[in-house]
């Protein structure tokens, strides 16, 4: 499995005068887990959001499984895609938010079947079946008819992961999936992500959980000030960081 | 002797009696208010000015019931059409197109600026503005046309007037509801690739309804009573008919009471409907939804009955 699944190439992004991404390159191979670490404000969440085109890039490009995201190339021009086509591309990219963002007025099951039915035009019965299977996989088979607010934070995030999986995405993006959770609930969510890692799901995880990075990541990327400072296997980046900024960050969080 | 410390060795905590605070001022106020209410009710029942027999004669008379029906129709059309158009205008104002934004903003600005009664008279005189209405190419030839007064009758003009007025307010109410929905909801829907229209219908609007409904309820009730201004167009709605009748027989007070009673009943029905619609859209908002008033009454009756049977069994 050496084919590149996610290819981020020279991505720049500014919010007004603030340059958040200043030329980011990143490659993720199929079946690999990449963990992005970095101080807050380093641009890691923004990078993740550019990968599924929730944020438009100012310069550079991103492709997933060889397909440009948000643009169509003809000759040496990039044509911006219409929203409908971007939405279609996003069904291949699962995204898990820090604040879960489950739909509070829909039951857990309805949360899971909404996108497969409306975006992929799956028959409802089939979508229901997939949803129940996924709920069982994240250990919530008995909560299918509950509303999100009736669940704990950890359970909500597990539902959110199942919801992302329901589209059978090529890659899963996690934006600080445990940062909004009480400490005792972090473990159950990380266990689900670890389980996904074992089954060969391609994932990019932005997190502050260094222990999780060490255990699960194939590659650790350290970002600071809008650029990738260093990247490599966890043992290299976490135990023998080459860069002073990486060392400074790790000394604060470890 | 009164002791004020719990450490007093001779008393045990369990023996201390709780004496509820005595709200003398509150009781006095309650008595005063009850006396006033009783006086007023007594006056209503006994003062001959109210002429309750006239009230009874007219409240369910055919003319009045028909007039109530017209009022209800005007309200229903203006509500449904007003909120449909209002929702479109709201999303125009929220769209990224500066043209749509400006048009929507201008519409709201104009129709909120014109008093409803002025606008209604405008529509009533529509034929003076546009003698004929036609279908054709803009600024080009007209293929089909019709005399505007025959196309839009008096009731039609009233519905148009009420609707356009209502749409401007509805647009702001819907917009308020939509911007109250957490931005993360739209992001999640977008990240899942849910089609745009479906995002609005399935994700945004149901959640926006929670913020929309209380103000929309106000607006609809306001509209129900607001339909009374179309009496200027001589449409046989409730207030107009009441005026016609008391113009004939001079029984002003009892006939105004007839109108009042109907407006109160209709408003109450709308309020009850609003309560249940709000409850429907609140699903998922609370861990356990609060009981409805009916459920509350039933629960109270059951608990009383339980208490009574328990006391009975204790006695025997």
């Amino acid at each position: 499995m050496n084919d590149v699944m996610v290819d981020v190439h020279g991505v720049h992004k500014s919010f007004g005068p603030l340059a958040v991404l200043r030329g980011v390159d990143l490659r993720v191979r199929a079946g690999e887990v990449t963990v992005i670490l970095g101080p807050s404000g380093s641009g890691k969440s923004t990078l993740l959001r550019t990968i599924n085109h929730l944020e438009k890039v100012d310069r550079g490009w991103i492709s997933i499984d060889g397909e440009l995201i948000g643009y169509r190339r003809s000759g040496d021009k990039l044509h911006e895609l219409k929203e409908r086509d971007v939405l279609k591309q996003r069904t291949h990219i699962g995204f898990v938010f820090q604040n879960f963002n489950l739909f509070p007025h829909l039951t857990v099951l309805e949360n899971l079947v909404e996108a497969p039915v409306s975006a992929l035009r799956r028959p409802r019965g089939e979508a229901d079946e997939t949803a129940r299977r996924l709920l069982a996989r994240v250990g919530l088979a008995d909560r299918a008819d509950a509303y999100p607010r009736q669940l704990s934070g950890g359970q909500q995030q597990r539902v959110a992961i199942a919801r992302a999986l329901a589209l059978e995405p090529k890659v899963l993006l996690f934006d600080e999936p445990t940062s909004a959770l009480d400490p005792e609930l972090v473990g159950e969510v990380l266990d689900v992500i670890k389980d996904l890692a074992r089954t060969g799901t391609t994932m990019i995880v932005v997190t502050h959980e260094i222990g999780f990075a060490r255990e699960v990541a194939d590659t650790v990327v350290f970002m600071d000030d809008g650029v990738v400072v260093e990247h490599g296997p966890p043992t290299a980046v976490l135990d023998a960081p080459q860069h002073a900024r990486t060392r400074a960050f790790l000394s604060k969080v470890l | 002797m009164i002791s004020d410390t719990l450490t007093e060795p001779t008393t045990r905590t369990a023996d201390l009696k709780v004496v509820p605070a005595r709200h003398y001022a509150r009781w006095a106020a309650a008595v005063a208010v009850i006396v006033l209410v009783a006086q007023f009710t007594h006056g209503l029942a006994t003062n001959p000015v109210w002429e309750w027999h006239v009230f009874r004669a007219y409240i369910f008379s055919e003319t009045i019931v028909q007039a109530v029906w017209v009022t209800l129709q005007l309200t229903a059309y203006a509500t449904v059409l007003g909120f449909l158009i209002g929702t479109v205008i709201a999303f125009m104002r929220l769209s990224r197109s500066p043209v749509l934004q400006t048009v929507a903003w201008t519409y709201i600005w104009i129709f909120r600026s014109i008093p409803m009664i002025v606008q209604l008279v405008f529509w009533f005189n529509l034929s003076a503005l546009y003698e004929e209405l036609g279908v054709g190419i803009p600024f080009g030839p007209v293929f089909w046309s019709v005399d505007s007064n025959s196309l839009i009758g008096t009731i039609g003009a009233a519905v148009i007037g009420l609707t356009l007025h209502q749409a401007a307010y509805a647009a702001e109410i819907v917009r308020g509801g939509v911007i109250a929905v957490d931005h993360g909801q739209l992001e999640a829907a977008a990240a899942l690739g849910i089609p745009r229209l479906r995002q609005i219908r399935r994700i945004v609007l149901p959640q926006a309804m929670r913020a929309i409904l209380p103000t929309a309820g106000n607006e609809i009730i306001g509209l129900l009573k607001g339909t009374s201004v179309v009496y200027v167009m001589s449409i046989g709605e409730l207030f107009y008919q009441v005026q016609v009748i008391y113009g004939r027989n001079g029984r002003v007070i009892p006939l105004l009471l007839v109108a009042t009673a109907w407006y109160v009943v209709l408003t109450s029905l709308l309020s009850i409907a609003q309560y249940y619609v709000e409850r429907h859209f609140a699903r998922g908002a609370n861990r356990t939804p609060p009981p409805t008033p009916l459920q509350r009454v039933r629960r109270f009756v059951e608990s009383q009955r339980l208490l009574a049977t328990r006391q009975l069994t204790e006695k025997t």
Side-chain angles (χ1 to χ4, degrees):
Chain A
M1 285 210 281
N2 271 332
D3 33 324
V4 175
M5 178 59 87
V6 181
D7 196 353
V8 176
H9 189 90
V11 161
H12 288 252
K13 173 75 190 176
S14 301
F15 293 112
L18 183 71
V20 182
L21 299 177
R22 301 183 300 135
V24 175
D25 292 287
L26 180 69
R27 287 184 158 196
V28 177
R29 277 189 255 279
E32 271 192 4
V33 179
T34 300
V35 170
I36 304 178
L37 301 174
S40 57
S42 59
K44 47 196 196 314
S45 282
T46 306
L47 174 66
L48 205 65
R49 292 160 60 83
T50 59
I51 294 176
N52 76 342
H53 210 61
L54 277 179
E55 304 286 357
K56 269 186 213 165
V57 300
D58 298 333
R59 241 162 75 201
W61 50 262
I62 292 160
S63 74
I64 288 183
D65 206 10
E67 188 185 355
L68 271 179
I69 296 301
Y71 298 92
R72 181 173 49 82
R73 184 174 171 176
S74 68
D76 52 0
K77 276 188 189 152
L78 290 181
H79 295 273
E80 202 178 333
L81 288 181
K82 292 211 188 84
E83 192 179 0
R84 180 188 306 186
D85 301 312
V86 175
L87 286 170
K88 214 167 279 171
Q89 289 187 327
R90 290 210 188 104
T91 59
H92 302 304
I93 312 163
F95 200 100
V96 176
F97 295 87
Q98 180 177 353
N99 297 317
F100 333 134
N101 288 341
L102 293 176
F103 306 129
H105 60 303
L106 303 180
T107 64
V108 166
L109 190 74
E110 286 167 340
N111 264 279
L112 262 68
V113 300
E114 177 56 35
V117 169
S118 68
L120 299 182
R121 309 233 153 260
R122 295 263 164 80
R124 174 72 201 240
E126 192 189 311
D128 265 6
E129 218 169 279
T130 314
R132 286 188 194 280
R133 190 167 43 74
L134 287 169
L135 283 177
R137 185 165 173 191
V138 298
L140 291 168
D142 53 333
R143 304 314 304 271
D145 298 316
Y147 284 99
R149 290 218 175 99
Q150 294 166 329
L151 305 179
S152 72
Q155 290 174 325
Q156 289 190 48
Q157 192 59 298
R158 280 144 69 196
V159 171
I161 294 171
R163 180 174 73 171
L165 287 170
L167 290 164
E168 293 164 28
K170 293 175 180 170
V171 54
L172 263 181
L173 311 176
F174 292 86
D175 187 8
E176 303 197 23
T178 57
S179 297
L181 297 175
D182 291 340
E184 81 269 23
L185 301 176
V186 169
E188 60 185 76
V189 171
L190 291 183
D191 285 343
V192 168
I193 303 175
K194 283 178 202 164
D195 176 58
L196 290 172
R198 270 193 293 274
T199 55
T201 314
T202 313
M203 294 191 279
I204 303 177
V205 186
V206 168
T207 185
H208 294 292
E209 301 285 332
I210 305 290
F212 169 81
R214 192 188 298 278
E215 190 181 342
V216 181
D218 296 297
T219 307
V220 170
V221 172
F222 176 74
M223 279 184 75
D224 194 13
D225 207 15
V227 291
V228 173
V229 175
E230 65 179 291
H231 66 101
T235 43
V237 176
L238 296 176
D239 299 333
Q242 299 298 306
H243 207 287
R245 279 196 276 179
T246 319
R247 279 197 291 273
F249 173 75
L250 289 173
S251 72
K252 271 181 230 157
V253 294
L254 281 177
Chain B
M1 211 189 88
I2 299 164
S3 92
D4 53 0
T5 55
L6 285 174
T7 45
E8 182 74 25
T10 52
T11 50
R12 293 237 184 94
T13 322
D15 302 330
L16 295 174
K17 199 181 161 212
V18 175
V19 182
R22 297 198 160 85
H23 305 279
Y24 298 110
R26 200 188 289 174
W27 297 339
V31 169
V33 169
I34 286 171
V35 168
L36 282 174
V37 170
Q39 252 186 322
F40 180 72
T41 320
H42 180 254
L44 265 186
T46 58
N47 191 334
V49 177
W50 300 110
E51 298 188 280
W52 288 104
H53 60 283
V54 180
F55 176 88
R56 271 194 297 277
Y58 279 100
I59 184 85
F60 293 119
S61 72
E62 207 189 321
T63 332
I64 293 295
V65 170
Q66 248 167 24
V68 168
W69 178 234
V70 174
T71 293
L72 277 176
Q73 276 178 310
L74 287 172
T75 310
Y77 284 133
T79 300
V80 172
L81 296 174
F83 271 88
L84 277 179
I85 297 173
T87 307
V88 172
I89 294 171
F91 279 99
M92 280 168 69
R93 252 204 96 175
L94 291 165
S95 84
R96 269 167 252 161
S97 152
V99 176
L100 296 188
Q101 278 176 25
T102 312
V103 170
W105 184 88
T106 311
Y107 178 92
I108 294 166
W109 170 62
I110 289 179
F111 281 90
R112 282 202 311 197
S113 308
I114 310 174
M116 187 150 86
I117 193 160
V118 174
Q119 213 221 120
L120 283 170
V121 179
F122 253 115
W123 286 105
F124 189 55
N125 296 300
L126 178 71
S127 58
L129 267 178
Y130 303 100
E131 247 175 74
E132 291 195 326
L133 294 176
V135 181
I137 296 169
F139 306 107
V142 176
F143 304 128
W144 175 85
S145 71
V146 63
D147 173 43
S148 51
N149 266 3
S150 68
L151 178 72
I152 305 159
T154 324
I155 296 235
V159 168
I160 291 174
L162 291 170
T163 298
L164 294 182
H165 177 84
Q166 201 53 41
Y169 286 90
E172 287 296 271
I173 293 171
V174 172
R175 192 173 67 94
V178 169
I179 54 184
V181 175
D182 179 22
H183 185 65
Q185 291 291 308
L186 269 180
E187 282 204 329
L192 286 164
I194 298 170
R196 186 89 181 110
L197 267 180
R198 175 88 177 174
Q199 287 182 23
I200 291 172
R201 230 188 45 237
R202 177 78 165 156
I203 308 298
V204 176
L205 278 181
Q207 296 186 62
M209 282 305 265
R210 294 210 64 211
I212 289 173
L213 279 169
T215 18
N218 261 349
E219 272 301 304
I220 295 168
I221 286 168
L223 178 67
L224 172 80
K225 294 175 296 176
T227 56
S228 57
V229 310
V230 309
Y231 86 90
V232 296
M233 304 164 85
S234 320
I235 290 173
E237 49 72 50
L238 185 54
F239 184 50
Y240 179 80
Q241 291 296 18
V242 161
Q243 282 179 301
V244 167
I245 297 173
Y246 72 58
R248 223 166 37 217
N249 66 10
R251 312 274 199 206
V252 178
I253 298 292
L255 276 155
L256 284 178
L257 271 182
V258 167
T260 305
W262 274 109
Y263 283 125
V264 167
V265 167
L266 296 178
T267 304
S268 314
L269 291 178
L270 281 177
S271 306
I272 293 169
Q274 183 188 344
Y275 174 84
Y276 282 97
V277 175
E278 273 183 28
R279 208 179 137 79
H280 170 77
F281 281 102
R283 68 195 189 283
N286 304 94
R287 292 193 151 211
T288 45
T292 63
L294 259 179
Q295 287 171 333
R296 236 170 262 182
V297 169
R298 210 171 296 151
R299 221 169 277 177
F300 177 77
V301 170
E302 260 160 38
S303 69
Q304 289 299 307
R305 195 182 296 155
L306 213 75
L307 210 73
T309 48
R310 199 174 299 153
Q311 280 170 345
L312 250 170
T313 46
E314 269 168 21
K315 265 183 207 163
T316 52

